[in-house]
Amino acid sequence: GSGSGEDEVKTYTVATEPNFHPFEFMDPETGEMKGFDMDLIHAIADEAGFNVEIETMEFDGVLGGMRSNKYPMAISGISITDERKKEIDFSDKYLDSGLILVVREDSDIQSIEDIDGLKVGAQAGSTGELYLHDHTDAEISAFPEIVTAYMDLASGRLDAVLYDLPNAQYYINENPDQGLKTVGELLQGEPYGIAFPKGSELVEPVNEALATLKENGTYDEIYKKWFGE
Ligand code: ARG
């Protein structure tokens, strides 16, 4: 190093919403953030040569923080959409996901066609909430934390919840006593990307690091750790 500070390792704040198993969640024992996204962003940072500091907030705030340039980066199971691309930059996709409808096991609802006029929950600012507005006449309730919506569904205050399949599947598997199930097809395929304020210079190094991790097996290791084979 020349001593000018140019070689110093930079630390970037990464915004995330911390209630999205198995992508980002707080370990109750240690208070540390864990999950697929957390492992991935740390691996990317190692590869690209910077440090990351995780900052948690509501999902609305994660997207708002990209639009207002408040944080340099966000990883939060964020779906890459054309609408968001107008205001936010994205990395290449790192996972394929999509939306699924969740109902009680004894429900008559069989698909999204059946929910008009019914009470349906979604996470505030999520693609699930937008989908309900754009494609249904459901009575929509938007929740800052999706777990509240799942609990309201289990207790009968909601008729359905629309959310990302991996998280819905995880919640159903981990909470069999809640008596929930998914119905119908994946409603819309959604690729996840790392988000940046428009024009960020971090997009390119992050994409390069992501490509390297996919080539050298690190991505596969992280995937297996959280999703099995
Ligand atoms: N994929 C959905 C979206 O981008 C939901 C993401 C929710 N993520 C979270 N960490 N709660 O709108």
Side-chain angles (χ1 to χ4, degrees):
S2 60
S4 66
E6 272 176 53
D7 297 342
E8 242 167 66
V9 176
K10 290 232 171 75
T11 298
Y12 297 111
T13 302
V14 178
T16 196
E17 192 273 341
N19 300 289
F20 193 55
H21 282 88
F23 296 94
E24 43 262 340
F25 57 95
M26 178 116 18
D27 181 338
E29 314 250 297
T30 62
E32 297 250 318
M33 288 299 298
K34 284 190 162 180
F36 178 90
D37 283 355
M38 297 296 104
D39 285 352
L40 185 63
I41 200 67
H42 281 108
I44 286 172
D46 284 349
E47 183 60 40
F50 55 78
N51 290 324
V52 289
E53 203 171 72
I54 307 297
E55 192 162 322
T56 60
M57 65 202 71
E58 290 183 357
F59 188 66
D60 256 348
V62 173
L63 296 178
M66 294 302 100
R67 294 189 185 102
S68 65
N69 207 350
K70 189 168 177 196
Y71 308 99
M73 208 184 310
I75 190 163
S76 204
I78 303 170
S79 302
I80 303 170
T81 69
D82 288 340
E83 198 57 30
R84 287 175 180 169
K85 275 203 249 174
K86 292 177 190 163
E87 298 176 311
I88 295 172
D89 277 351
F90 285 98
S91 70
D92 296 332
K93 73 163 179 185
Y94 64 84
L95 195 104
D96 281 309
S97 182
L99 297 177
I100 197 79
L101 196 63
V102 185
V103 300
R104 282 184 301 281
E105 273 166 357
D106 62 3
S107 172
D108 291 334
I109 299 170
Q110 289 181 9
S111 80
I112 198 83
E113 310 291 329
D114 301 334
I115 64 166
D116 286 352
L118 299 183
K119 295 194 182 80
V120 183
Q123 182 165 46
S126 72
T127 46
E129 186 192 7
L130 291 174
Y131 188 98
L132 292 172
H133 279 293
D134 291 349
H135 300 282
T136 77
D137 286 316
E139 196 183 307
I140 305 161
S141 304
F143 296 79
E145 282 185 30
I146 199 65
V147 174
T148 323
Y150 291 143
M151 285 166 57
D152 277 4
L153 175 59
S155 70
R157 276 191 288 271
L158 290 173
D159 300 303
V161 168
L162 185 63
Y163 206 45
D164 299 49
L165 173 67
N167 178 267
Q169 203 59 67
Y170 185 94
Y171 186 83
I172 291 168
N173 293 344
E174 293 294 309
N175 301 279
D177 54 307
Q178 301 263 296
L180 303 181
K181 65 175 181 184
T182 62
V183 284
E185 309 267 294
L186 199 66
L187 286 169
Q188 132 173 314
E190 297 187 359
Y192 288 168
I194 296 154
F196 309 85
K198 261 274 174 256
S200 170
E201 284 171 4
L202 290 170
V203 181
E204 210 182 295
V206 164
N207 276 338
E208 277 169 20
L210 181 60
T212 303
L213 298 177
K214 284 191 171 173
E215 276 161 29
N216 71 15
T218 307
Y219 178 94
D220 288 343
E221 263 171 49
I222 297 172
Y223 187 90
K224 269 185 204 153
K225 174 176 168 191
W226 294 102
F227 298 103
E229 296 305 299

